[in-house]
Amino acid sequence: HFNKYGQGKPMLIFHGLFGTGDNWTTHAKKWAEHGFCVYTIDQRNHGRSPHSEEMNYALMRDDAIDLIASENLRDVILMGHSMGGKAAMQLALTQGHLLRRLVVADIAPVAYAHDQTGHITAMRSLDLQGLSTRSEADSRLALLVEDPALRAFFLQSLDLKASPPMWRLNLDVLEAAMPQIIGWPDTKGCFEGPTLFLTGSQSTYVKPENRVTI
């Protein structure tokens, strides 16, 4: 599943773990005003995209290649954040001829130890019975997740219109695939197109020692 904004040079956005393409709607609309056709994509097992029993970066790359082919896109600008950044790098390293530029936000092509299964446990433990409002969902999730910003991020993936409410995240598969998600498949190759790595000044995800690998 994807949403499309504007007309012009094609730009694809890959969201991070537990996110959706909707996380990027505000930015996509702004970029659409500046001559870009922006695709905000739900990765497999996220958002409104199909659930699958398989989850790895090669498959996320192939999903993107299928979209590029079906939309007949050329010279794509690709931006990925976190997990989406790793998927973007996989595409750039193996099918770089499809891309015009690459932007990678807050991630490096390395394996991490930041296991995220605790968040999956919290979401799975949320009592969904009788939920009808996001504020009530937030109150219940606050018993499990202290950070209000993190709760708001997770709750974007809670479908309150379903009966009963349900997570749009395939939590079981994401948990099983966590080693692949926080890992890196050590893909060989080189992307020689213009590339920008962005990282926050307090981020622990892109360190000075990662620059040689980048």
Side-chain angles (χ1 to χ4, degrees):
H1 176 271
F2 63 87
N3 288 319
K4 183 177 175 181
Y5 304 91
Q7 297 180 343
K9 293 173 286 189
M11 180 178 184
L12 271 58
I13 302 178
F14 294 172
H15 64 76
L17 180 63
F18 305 135
T20 73
D22 290 346
N23 300 151
W24 291 91
T25 298
T26 299
H27 292 81
K29 289 180 177 178
K30 289 182 179 179
W31 292 326
E33 295 173 357
H34 294 277
F36 296 97
C37 180
V38 186
Y39 292 76
T40 57
I41 298 166
D42 288 350
Q43 299 282 6
R44 61 169 56 207
N45 295 313
H46 292 73
R48 296 174 179 82
S49 282
H51 286 187
S52 168
E53 291 302 311
E54 296 181 291
M55 184 79 182
N56 59 53
Y57 289 115
L59 291 171
M60 285 185 269
R61 173 203 61 199
D62 291 346
D63 292 341
I65 291 172
D66 289 344
L67 172 61
I68 289 170
S70 65
E71 291 289 300
N72 196 29
L73 303 181
R74 297 288 185 273
D75 296 327
V76 170
I77 299 168
L78 177 58
M79 185 175 75
H81 169 243
S82 193
M83 178 190 77
K86 285 189 171 181
M89 288 186 283
Q90 282 292 304
L91 199 160
L93 289 173
T94 59
Q95 299 290 327
H97 66 280
L98 297 173
L99 305 182
R100 178 185 176 195
R101 297 176 183 272
L102 174 68
V103 181
V104 180
D106 210 32
I107 203 75
V110 298
Y112 292 89
H114 297 79
D115 191 287
Q116 304 289 337
T117 52
H119 295 319
I120 292 175
T121 300
M123 284 184 274
R124 189 185 283 129
S125 300
L126 178 64
D127 181 8
L128 300 175
Q129 294 300 316
L131 268 185
S132 60
T133 66
R134 202 158 297 277
S135 60
E136 175 60 24
D138 182 69
S139 296
R140 295 186 187 184
L141 192 57
L143 301 175
L144 305 165
V145 178
E146 183 178 352
D147 185 347
L150 202 55
R151 293 198 304 272
F153 173 66
F154 293 157
L155 290 174
Q156 289 185 55
S157 293
L158 181 63
D159 184 2
L160 287 171
K161 295 181 180 179
S163 183
M166 61 180 292
W167 291 102
R168 290 194 175 106
L169 300 164
N170 191 343
L171 297 175
D172 291 344
V173 169
L174 293 178
E175 182 177 46
M178 192 59 64
Q180 287 76 39
I181 293 171
I182 66 174
W184 175 251
D186 197 27
T187 302
K188 306 302 179 185
C190 179
F191 177 65
E192 297 183 347
T195 304
L196 175 65
F197 276 77
L198 295 170
T199 185
S201 62
Q202 298 182 40
S203 172
T204 60
Y205 282 89
V206 183
K207 298 179 178 180
E209 57 265 32
N210 299 143
R211 292 180 181 179
V212 173
T213 305
I214 289 170

